[in-house]
Amino acid sequence: MKAIYYPAWDQLELRDVPEPSAKPGEVVLRVNAVGICGSELHGFVVHAARRTPPSILGHEFCGEILSVGDGVTGFRPGDRVGVNSVISCGKCADCHDGNVHLCRENEVFGMKRPGGFAEQCTVPAATLLHLPSALTPVQGSLLEPLANGVHAVSMLQQRFPETVVVFGAGTIGLFALQVAAVSGAIRLIAVDTHDARLEVTRRLGASAVLNPKKADVVAMVRGMTGGRGADVTIDAVGAAETRRASVSAVRRGGEVVWLGLHDDPSQISGFQMVLGERKILGSFAVTHRDLRTAIALFTNGKITLDPWVKTFPLAQGVEVFLQLAHNPPDDYIKAVLLP
Ligand SMILES: [Zn+2]
Ligand SMILES: [Zn+2]
């Protein structure tokens, strides 16, 4: 079968590889659609220790079951399924607590096992969800990043926050923005350094947009909120700078959600945290419940993918991946490959 193979640092090639077979508890999927994730692009560029070659990347995918291994129940050949990209062990204390997304023994497609940049991929049945027939393959492949937005917004304790600021208009930021709108945010402000991306956020419900290259974001947010700051800020970038701004732009008693993973060390004002009782909530990965919510959002027409998601054949995947990694285009944000 054809796969986009990642043989060594900085190399990526379309190659014929042996077809996989299902071990006990697994199924073989015919991959219908697979998204190229920003974390994979970033990992490729910086030689991330979490994503080492040789491997096949791709963790945002959906497909049709070709065959099932021993012991698989509830799924059979022909079923259309979505995938939770984090595979938990089911045995550790976190899994027993119900926090399967926090499992320390987890495996992720494209890290410890081959991912979905291929015509076929093996997947543990425990990570599968049945897809309704109304869902398109592109929607099915984007369940996981949409569920990331659902997970982030579900951390919040506030109902109907008046002002929500979303830092980052990449895939996760655009989904978080739309989920915040559905879940009751009254006014949405989008922040990004690319004007073309900010234009997209306007079409998805942002009532104001801020480019930190042109404006002091924290001062502008304070100005729009009578000097108080936003009720909620969501950092879908994870750079030291956006983390700092996400804390400075939130009001006293407000909530900050961090889900970007760009930088590790970040300097935050301890005084702002303590004197203002601001809360920082980390948000990682997704639960099966978040994925079911994502399915419901898609099937009920609550999420817009136009004009920022674009599809390509697998054969063009290497070229598209390298372009997104080194020189992102202006005319779309998310690429989905159709093997
Ligand atoms: Zn991803
Ligand atoms: Zn576990």
Side-chain angles (χ1 to χ4, degrees):
M1 67 164 182
K2 293 267 184 261
I4 294 178
Y5 195 71
Y6 182 20
W9 296 124
D10 301 315
Q11 292 174 34
L12 212 55
E13 61 194 40
L14 188 69
R15 188 191 270 189
D16 277 308
V17 299
E19 286 186 0
S21 56
K23 295 195 188 109
E26 294 182 345
V27 309
V28 176
L29 277 198
R30 160 98 186 79
V31 179
N32 290 141
V34 53
I36 298 178
C37 177
S39 64
E40 291 163 335
L41 298 166
H42 181 67
F44 182 83
V45 171
V46 305
H47 297 184
R50 295 176 79 216
R51 282 193 175 82
T52 51
S55 75
I56 296 172
L57 297 172
H59 59 263
E60 301 172 354
F61 59 99
C62 67
E64 183 184 318
I65 296 177
L66 287 177
S67 61
V68 302
D70 290 339
V72 172
T73 54
F75 294 96
R76 44 181 153 164
D79 287 356
R80 290 179 73 235
V81 288
V83 181
N84 186 342
S85 69
V86 177
I87 303 156
S88 46
C89 75
K91 296 174 197 145
C92 71
D94 294 306
C95 284
H96 281 300
D97 286 352
N99 293 321
V100 293
H101 60 301
L102 301 181
C103 173
R104 276 162 295 181
E105 303 298 320
N106 72 30
E107 287 187 353
V108 178
F109 296 96
M111 290 190 192
K112 290 184 192 164
R113 58 185 298 141
F117 287 170
E119 289 174 321
Q120 296 179 22
C121 183
T122 56
V123 181
T127 71
L128 297 174
L129 294 98
H130 286 286
L131 296 183
S133 56
L135 227 66
T136 66
V138 170
Q139 289 173 323
S141 72
L142 295 174
L143 280 182
E144 195 253 6
L146 173 56
N148 273 297
V150 172
H151 195 71
V153 170
S154 72
M155 319 276 316
L156 298 171
Q157 288 177 357
Q158 295 175 68
R159 302 285 173 256
F160 297 105
E162 189 177 316
T163 304
V164 176
V165 181
V166 178
F167 291 84
T171 302
I172 306 288
L174 293 179
F175 281 141
L177 187 91
Q178 296 186 78
V179 173
V182 170
S183 68
I186 294 164
R187 175 168 57 169
L188 287 160
I189 301 172
V191 181
D192 199 279
T193 51
H194 294 88
D195 287 332
R197 291 182 171 215
L198 289 174
E199 239 1 88
V200 173
T201 68
R202 280 193 188 280
R203 297 172 67 163
L204 302 183
S207 55
V209 299
L210 296 171
N211 184 335
K213 285 184 176 164
K214 299 175 183 172
D216 180 338
V217 169
V218 173
M220 293 293 283
V221 170
R222 292 240 176 96
M224 289 180 215
T225 52
R228 273 190 99 198
D231 301 290
V232 170
T233 58
I234 298 174
D235 176 22
V237 179
E241 190 53 47
T242 55
R243 291 211 182 106
R244 198 158 42 237
S246 68
V247 172
S248 296
V250 85
R251 66 165 165 78
R252 291 172 164 247
E255 294 168 284
V256 178
V257 186
W258 283 356
L259 68 165
L261 283 169
H262 201 276
D263 295 330
D264 186 2
S266 307
Q267 205 174 27
I268 296 302
S269 160
F271 281 14
Q272 279 183 338
M273 294 303 300
V274 176
L275 298 173
E277 290 194 351
R278 293 172 171 87
K279 299 166 199 73
I280 298 176
L281 308 159
S283 173
F284 176 69
V286 307
T287 63
H288 256 52
R289 188 201 158 108
D290 299 322
L291 289 163
R292 287 197 304 273
T293 303
I295 290 174
L297 286 167
F298 272 136
T299 48
N300 287 283
K302 302 289 185 190
I303 300 296
T304 303
L305 301 179
D306 182 51
W308 59 280
V309 177
K310 201 168 166 184
T311 59
F312 300 89
L314 186 71
Q316 245 179 289
V318 172
E319 180 193 331
V320 171
F321 189 100
L322 294 177
Q323 192 191 7
L324 286 167
H326 299 299
N327 190 15
D330 260 349
D331 59 327
Y332 69 94
I333 292 168
K334 181 73 171 182
V336 174
L337 305 178
L338 305 174

